[in-house]
Amino acid sequence: MKLNLGAGLAVLALSAALTACGGSTGTAPATTSPAVTEGAPPASATAPAASVTPPPATSAPPASAAVDLKTAPSSAGDIVVAANGMSVYFFTKDVKDSGTSACTDACLAAWPPVTTAAETPQVEGVTGTVGTITTPDGAQQVTLNGLPLYYFAKDTKPGDILGQGVNDVWYLADPSGEMIRMGASG
């Protein structure tokens, strides 16, 4: 009778242990236990078990999917903006497909070039032809329909279009790569 009672208790203890493990039909990841040095207490007796939390899932696109130019609404209509949301402009003194910029020296302080590190600029919503030219300092300036693009130094935040129509030579770009000549600010 004692033999049957001992076997029954062993089965009951094993059953309880399996139930405590969750009874999952899936496989659990393999874990390794730290080595126990003779005379040292097991790790579980000295420190709480570490919890492994997977990194949160993100919906951010990979870095290679970053865009150089995109579109945004403005009081002048849909315009082309840089990745940072800042408006970009054409300079009417530039010559299409010349591979150079007519804005030099002091002009560049007020009208910095839109540059890219990408071999081929990436766009979102822009339908004009995008390319690059090399600036005198070796940077890659973004072009749209063969014309270099610039920022206006007085535009301080996304949505500003203070450069529109300045001196009748600076104009915003529309998504097809055309100059927006209306709504000039003077």
Side-chain angles (χ1 to χ4, degrees):
M1 185 92 159
K2 282 187 178 181
L3 183 60
N4 286 342
L5 183 60
L9 287 175
V11 169
L12 185 59
L14 179 61
S15 176
L18 289 175
T19 302
C21 290
S24 172
T25 58
T27 58
T31 60
T32 57
S33 299
V36 176
T37 306
E38 190 171 321
S44 62
T46 59
S51 170
V52 178
T53 305
T58 66
S59 60
S64 64
V67 297
D68 293 292
L69 298 177
K70 57 187 178 179
T71 61
S74 78
S75 61
D78 284 344
I79 61 170
V80 177
V81 299
N84 61 4
M86 299 301 289
S87 303
V88 300
Y89 299 87
F90 286 121
F91 184 33
T92 60
K93 294 184 180 184
D94 282 328
V95 177
K96 184 177 179 170
D97 297 321
S98 69
T100 61
S101 167
C103 182
T104 59
D105 303 323
C107 175
L108 291 172
W111 301 93
V114 176
T115 60
T116 182
E119 193 171 306
T120 303
Q122 299 298 305
V123 299
E124 184 177 287
V126 177
T127 58
T129 304
V130 180
T132 61
I133 61 171
T134 303
T135 64
D137 66 356
Q140 293 299 303
Q141 184 172 4
V142 179
T143 62
L144 183 56
N145 287 355
L147 291 170
L149 294 173
Y150 307 86
Y151 297 107
F152 183 44
K154 291 184 180 180
D155 286 349
T156 59
K157 64 185 179 308
D160 283 352
I161 57 171
L162 302 175
Q164 176 64 1
V166 168
N167 297 328
D168 292 323
V169 294
W170 294 97
Y171 295 100
L172 293 163
D174 76 10
S176 70
E178 298 299 317
M179 287 184 197
I180 300 174
R181 292 190 179 251
M182 58 187 224
S185 67

